[in-house]
Amino acid sequence: VSIANASVSLSEAVSVQRLHLNGVVTLSGEPVTITGTIFSNFHTYSGGTYTFNNKLTLANGTSEGDATFSCRYIQGTIYFNGGFVSTASERLTLNGGPVIHFAKVPAVFSRLCVPKATLHFDVAGNQLNRLELSGDAVVHVNVDDPWGNFAWNDYFLMGNGARLLLHGHRASVYPTAILGQESGYSSDCSIETEDDKPAMFVVNAQQTPGNSIRVNKGLDMRGPVTFTLAATSSQTLQWNRSVSLSGDVNVEGGTLELLSDAKLPNVNSVRISGSGKMLLSKRSLTRHCSVYVDSISDLQIAEGVVQRVDALFVNGVRQPDGEYACGAGKMFVRAGSRTASST
């Protein structure tokens, strides 16, 4: 089926082998299912605007052709207002540079790989087992919790210059890996928000107990982004690269371990609560940082390391200036050190 510059309202559900759209096209009414392989049978052309007010289902995967280029013919600007479903177990790869809005009805994906596309999540509760962002991927989060709870069975992967724009919203991922666990993700990426729109990025690993999480790539968090780790007590998130973060760090569960090459150079405060713990292999925090803990034992510092901070609060009570034992290392608290910028 080929449609160009038309509005079509379907009175009954339709299954087609091939769907090619060109120009300005609006589909509404009953659902459409594409039964042919994605590679050769779903085309939207560059420069067009395509609006699906009905549900679109891609029923098959990328068995025809190279999976890396499975969706290079999906181009233009596309609005999925009635629901979008990709049921194939193979990945849906977007590399034709489309601008896609998921709006009004949540989308459902098995595996979404985005090397070259701009995505807007305009509705909460989209379901994804696995999301991979790389290269020229730009993802706009325009609502809180765009991926909902319990949405992840696999993981969230990001690298190679990809950008996640939070626009003042909260986004949670439920990964077994984040930022560079696989080969091919070799460079830094960014999670951003505007200066006047504080946002939150949550790594919620409670659905994958027993798995460790590791950040091997540089992560640039631009703007007031609060990073939150919510994991089980047996899980550890390891950072082995400097993370540019100008918001706060919350460790609500699990262990955040900053390895020898990790720094948090711009963090204002670290809050450790619940079953959360933090391990420092060196002086990774700045002197102007404030630390909030339920117990001083929740912060463990490596032997021979003295971490200087501006303030220490235990159970909400500010502690006097001075030196505190934290594991094998020490914390030195000195009020007024916010004027200093070095670690």
Side-chain angles (χ1 to χ4, degrees), residues 228-240:
T228 298
L229 175 63
T232 65
S233 59
S234 63
Q235 290 177 296
T236 299
L237 169 58
Q238 294 179 322
W239 274 345
N240 200 32

Side-chain angles (χ1 to χ4, degrees), residues 125-301:
N126 298 277
Q127 299 179 37
L128 301 102
N129 287 337
R130 180 169 176 171
L131 177 61
E132 303 174 32
L133 307 177
S134 64
D136 294 320
V138 179
V139 175
H140 295 265
V141 172
N142 299 321
V143 293
D144 284 341
D145 300 318
W147 303 304
N149 291 322
F150 311 110
W152 302 80
N153 293 325
D154 202 340
Y155 59 73
F156 172 83
L157 184 65
M158 186 175 175
N160 289 6
R163 299 173 65 201
L164 178 63
L165 309 181
L166 297 177
H167 300 304
H169 295 290
R170 178 183 61 247
S172 299
V173 295
Y174 303 78
T176 58
I178 176 175
L179 304 174
Q181 196 77 344
E182 288 189 348
S183 61
Y185 284 72
S186 58
S187 60
D188 300 349
C189 55
S190 64
I191 299 174
E192 308 170 30
T193 191
E194 294 85 348
D195 288 342
D196 60 343
K197 296 180 179 180
M200 181 177 290
F201 182 75
V202 182
V203 175
N204 186 334
Q206 296 176 358
Q207 308 309 315
T208 54
N211 290 298
S212 63
I213 311 160
R214 189 179 181 93
V215 176
N216 293 323
K217 312 303 177 190
L219 175 59
D220 187 7
M221 289 193 177
R222 303 173 186 171
V225 178
T226 292
F227 180 91
T228 298
L229 175 63
T232 65
S233 59
S234 63
Q235 290 177 296
T236 299
L237 169 58
Q238 294 179 322
W239 274 345
N240 200 32
R241 288 284 301 273
S242 179
V243 178
S244 178
L245 173 63
S246 59
D248 300 326
V249 171
N250 297 332
V251 185
E252 298 176 354
T255 299
L256 177 59
E257 182 177 5
L258 303 184
L259 302 176
S260 58
D261 290 333
K263 277 188 177 183
L264 299 176
N266 301 310
V267 167
N268 292 313
S269 68
V270 171
R271 299 177 183 269
I272 308 170
S273 60
S275 63
K277 294 185 181 299
M278 177 177 278
L279 307 180
L280 302 183
S281 297
K282 68 174 189 178
R283 288 187 299 170
S284 299
L285 307 177
T286 61
R287 295 181 180 182
H288 65 260
C289 180
S290 295
V291 176
Y292 299 78
V293 295
D294 291 342
S295 169
I296 193 68
S297 64
D298 293 340
L299 179 62
Q300 299 287 311
I301 300 176

